[in-house]
Amino acid sequence: MTVAVSLLIGAALMSWLAPTVLARRVVNGGDPLVAVVAWLTSAAAVALTTLGGVVLLLLPNHGFGETLLAALGDCWSSVRHGTPPSVEAVSGGVGALLLLGLGVRLVVGAIGSARRRARRRADHLAVLRIAARRDGATLWLEHDEPLAFSLTGRPGVIVATDGLARKLTRAQVDAVLAHERAHLTGRHHLIVAVGEAMASAFPFLPLFKLAPGMLRELVELVADAAAVRECGADAVRSALLKVSRHGAPGTALAMSGTSMDVRVERLLDGPAPASRRRQLFSCGLAGATAMVLPVLVASGTMLAVVTVACPA
């Protein structure tokens, strides 16, 4: 019982505190890719820790080797033989159904969201391929507003307007296209889709509820950093100030999408993008820390309870 409650407390604290900590770190100049990794692994850690706590709480007399189906089987066997099921069997059955329901909710929500996004994306691409002219991986539209965005798919495409080429310098256009290529190569559309599925499945937990907006902002910062490596901060900043903020479909990622003030400030005074090797090390460290943090909090909680209950 103490272990189960401690795990649930650890998961709850992680869910409430992680968004604030990660957002503050990014605002203070932290690597946005590290924040993306930390956010996703934190969500996985919270889900797994909560699952472990619920299993221990609702299946108190079932060891780790026994499955949820075994608990349901015990309950069904008692009913079939005309005897009332024990409290343990009932709690096990309720726990099994609860966990199964949460799992189905997550899977169904993710599949439904993916299908809706795929239909909208297919409709947009069908129209764009008729109206636009292709130049490699880029579709160019006749439009006066300087606009560019990317759409995922097989393969993904970048959509840009003629106004982009007319109103921006060559270096700025290259920066915009580099930004959009970073979205496609980094699979940022998938990251945002995962965030939307998380929010749909568990809207009552801040770490999951805030995921779509925060992950969308973070991938824009990641794409900015990739464009800076290729074209320089001055070109990216000036391009960001010139591209239009309107016109991209909801399934797209556009350079002018979100957090304009924060992004411009980072491009003006922020640190240079980290090297690939340092970034890989930081991402690995952040992911490992996020995975074990709920368990460490749970261990601290359990130790405090034992200390209070059994003073020396």
Side-chain angles (χ1 to χ4, degrees):
M1 182 71 173
T2 302
V3 176
V5 173
S6 298
L7 288 174
L8 293 176
I9 290 175
L13 290 175
M14 185 79 167
S15 173
W16 282 93
L17 297 179
T20 302
V21 173
L22 292 174
R24 185 183 299 118
R25 180 170 178 80
V26 172
V27 170
N28 291 336
D31 191 329
L33 182 58
V34 175
V36 170
V37 172
W39 196 292
L40 294 177
T41 51
S42 296
V46 167
L48 292 174
T49 306
T50 302
L51 176 63
V54 171
V55 168
L56 291 177
L57 190 64
L58 296 179
L59 305 179
N61 289 338
H62 290 264
F64 285 108
E66 293 190 64
T67 64
L68 299 179
L69 292 178
L72 286 174
D74 291 344
C75 189
W76 171 248
S77 177
S78 298
V79 173
R80 189 177 60 181
H81 289 89
T83 59
S86 64
V87 174
E88 291 81 4
V90 172
S91 66
V94 171
L97 292 175
L98 176 62
L99 295 174
L100 181 62
L102 289 175
V104 170
R105 176 185 175 90
L106 177 60
V107 172
V108 170
I111 293 175
S113 176
R115 287 180 174 175
R116 288 191 295 272
R117 290 175 64 87
R119 283 196 297 267
R120 293 198 301 268
R121 184 173 62 248
D123 292 341
H124 293 144
L125 284 174
V127 174
L128 289 169
R129 283 172 176 150
I130 294 173
R133 66 183 187 279
R134 178 178 287 274
D135 180 11
T138 305
L139 298 177
W140 290 91
L141 289 171
E142 178 59 43
H143 196 279
D144 290 334
E145 286 294 322
L147 174 68
F149 56 87
S150 56
L151 287 169
T152 187
R154 297 185 179 179
V157 297
I158 297 171
V159 180
T161 63
D162 291 335
L164 190 75
R166 287 196 292 264
K167 296 183 180 181
L168 275 68
T169 66
R170 182 69 249 177
Q172 292 168 345
V173 172
D174 289 342
V176 172
L177 297 181
H179 178 101
E180 301 306 331
R181 282 196 301 272
H183 281 320
L184 296 176
T185 57
R187 301 184 69 82
H188 294 169
H189 302 79
L190 177 60
I191 292 173
V192 173
V194 169
E196 292 176 350
M198 288 160 51
S200 176
F202 306 109
F204 45 86
L205 295 174
L207 184 64
F208 294 81
K209 180 181 179 180
L210 300 175
M214 282 300 302
L215 289 174
R216 183 176 285 272
E217 293 180 12
L218 288 172
V219 296
E220 292 297 339
L221 291 170
V222 173
D224 284 345
V228 167
R229 290 190 185 95
E230 187 173 335
C231 304
D234 291 339
V236 177
R237 183 178 64 253
S238 58
L240 181 61
L241 294 172
K242 288 186 177 181
V243 291
S244 174
R245 302 190 183 192
H246 306 286
T251 55
L253 289 177
M255 187 176 188
S256 58
T258 59
S259 304
M260 295 288 287
D261 294 339
V262 173
R263 292 165 61 196
V264 170
E265 183 177 351
R266 282 176 65 98
L267 290 168
L268 184 62
D269 299 319
S275 65
R276 295 295 187 184
R277 181 176 298 180
R278 180 180 177 183
Q279 197 173 57
L280 181 62
F281 173 79
S282 299
C283 288
L285 181 61
T289 302
M291 287 300 295
V292 302
L293 196 55
V295 178
L296 293 178
V297 173
S299 300
T301 303
M302 188 167 57
L303 181 61
V305 171
V306 171
T307 301
V308 172
C310 305

